[in-house]
């Protein structure tokens, strides 16, 4: 596990952008699963401005680690946020954008999206292999849309599952634990003072952390990299 602590959310996003660019320069074509949230929004703005000309967008295929089951025009849509802050501003082919059809029936969409990923990506140990998966972490320790009350999705044999938000009941499509842990690189982008206790508990491997889905993300053969700002890392003291 690598831990990168940056001054603030913008610096955190920039550190990941530099990592992604270095990976792209070394390997070329890449399959990336995106995340929603406030820090990815900062990242997408950076990629659309400072890094727009640095990437060969024709070689980058974008997917989503999770999506709310809403229309692509809905304010809750991760795709809508990504489109407004990144996709509409860079020269990426339409065919390289593989969104979750949140407007479709969730049970049918997890099958369709799972099959799309399985067809497009290489496989290892029966799971599709993403090059980079971007993840966030909620204040409850959830990641992608795997919440503590549905932690069994970490062990699902399917590529995608329907998840349910614990408070609103909103349905979501999410990648499952085995797919997340098969990636060549998993990068957590976590910022904010409200995440500091969960970060401390996860990094110190406290027993309570085992109930957090984010704790269980550790690629079998790939890299696990945490990009944090100082606020999120403030309770953790490196040994």
């Amino acid at each position: 596990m690598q831990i990168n602590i940056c001054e603030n959310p913008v610096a955190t996003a920039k550190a990941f952008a530099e990592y992604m660019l270095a990976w792209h320069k070394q390997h070329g074509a890449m399959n990336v699963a995106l995340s929603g949230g406030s820090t990815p929004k900062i990242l997408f703005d950076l990629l659309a401005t400072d890094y727009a000309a640095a990437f060969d967008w024709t070689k980058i295929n974008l997917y989503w680690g999770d999506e709310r089951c809403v229309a692509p025009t809905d304010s809750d849509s991760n795709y809508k946020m990504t489109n407004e802050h990144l996709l509409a501003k860079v020269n990426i082919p339409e065919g390289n954008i593989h969104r979750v059809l949140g407007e479709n029936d969730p049970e049918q969409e997890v099958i369709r999206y799972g099959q799309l990923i399985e067809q497009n990506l290489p496989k290892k140990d029966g799971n599709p292999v993403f090059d980079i998966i971007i993840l966030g972490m909620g204040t409850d320790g959830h990641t992608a849309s795997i919440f503590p009350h549905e932690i069994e999705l970490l062990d699902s044999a399917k590529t995608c599952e329907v998840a349910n938000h614990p408070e609103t009941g909103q349905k979501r499509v999410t990648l499952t634990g085995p797919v997340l842990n098969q990636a060549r690189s998993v990068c957590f982008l976590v910022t904010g003072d409200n995440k500091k206790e969960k970060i401390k508990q996860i990094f110190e491997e406290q027993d309570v952390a085992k109930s957090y889905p984010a704790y269980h993300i550790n690629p079998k053969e790939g890299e696990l990299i945490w990009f944090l700002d100082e606020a999120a890392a403030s309770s953790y003291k490196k040994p």
Side-chain angles (χ1 to χ4, degrees):
M1 181 172 71
Q2 299 177 40
I3 301 171
N4 296 289
I5 300 174
C6 308
E7 183 178 359
N8 53 46
V10 173
T12 304
K14 186 173 179 61
F16 171 77
E18 289 290 333
Y19 170 80
M20 181 175 169
L21 180 59
W23 203 103
H24 179 51
K25 287 181 175 178
Q26 180 178 354
H27 300 282
M30 56 199 302
N31 294 302
V32 181
L34 304 175
S35 173
S38 57
T39 309
K41 184 184 293 186
I42 296 169
L43 169 66
F44 299 155
D45 285 336
L46 267 177
L47 292 176
T49 52
D50 297 6
Y51 293 85
F55 287 90
D56 181 354
W57 296 98
T58 66
K59 294 183 177 179
I60 299 175
N61 278 275
L62 299 178
Y63 299 81
W64 275 260
D66 70 319
E67 179 60 280
R68 284 85 173 239
C69 292
V70 296
T73 54
D74 192 288
S75 59
D76 269 356
S77 168
N78 286 337
Y79 166 79
K80 181 178 189 291
M81 185 272 282
T82 310
N83 187 53
E84 291 176 349
H85 290 266
L86 175 62
L87 305 178
K89 299 178 179 180
V90 296
N91 192 27
I92 185 168
E94 189 70 28
N96 290 22
I97 302 167
H98 310 279
R99 75 174 181 92
V100 178
L101 304 181
E103 66 273 27
N104 285 1
D105 174 74
E107 298 292 345
Q108 294 300 313
E109 183 57 14
V110 293
I111 296 172
R112 185 201 71 84
Y113 201 59
Q115 290 175 344
L116 174 71
I117 291 170
E118 292 158 16
Q119 290 165 4
N120 289 357
L121 271 60
K123 278 190 173 182
K124 187 161 189 180
D125 297 335
N127 295 308
V129 181
F130 281 94
D131 295 310
I132 296 177
I133 296 179
I134 303 171
L135 293 176
M137 185 188 73
T139 54
D140 59 355
H142 86 267
T143 192
S145 279
I146 303 177
F147 294 91
H149 77 292
E150 293 178 335
I151 201 165
E152 67 274 7
L153 298 184
L154 287 168
D155 299 314
S156 172
K158 300 177 182 178
T159 296
C160 298
E161 287 271 18
V162 178
N164 300 275
H165 189 279
E167 296 173 4
T168 66
Q170 182 190 59
K171 292 189 179 298
R172 302 181 176 192
V173 172
T174 186
L175 295 178
T176 59
V179 177
L180 298 177
N181 282 324
Q182 197 69 65
R184 297 175 72 180
S185 179
V186 173
C187 298
F188 276 93
L189 275 61
V190 181
T191 60
D193 181 77
N194 60 347
K195 310 286 179 68
K196 66 182 182 181
E197 289 307 317
K198 292 289 190 297
I199 290 293
K200 173 183 169 66
Q201 292 161 355
I202 290 171
F203 288 1
E204 293 180 356
E205 299 191 27
Q206 297 180 22
D207 284 343
V208 67
K210 295 175 183 177
S211 66
Y212 310 150
Y215 171 86
H216 298 277
I217 305 305
N218 190 8
K220 292 162 65 174
E221 299 176 20
E223 296 181 307
L224 174 62
I225 309 176
W226 290 79
F227 293 88
L228 309 168
D229 71 349
E230 291 177 355
S234 59
S235 289
Y236 173 67
K237 307 301 179 189
K238 284 188 176 182

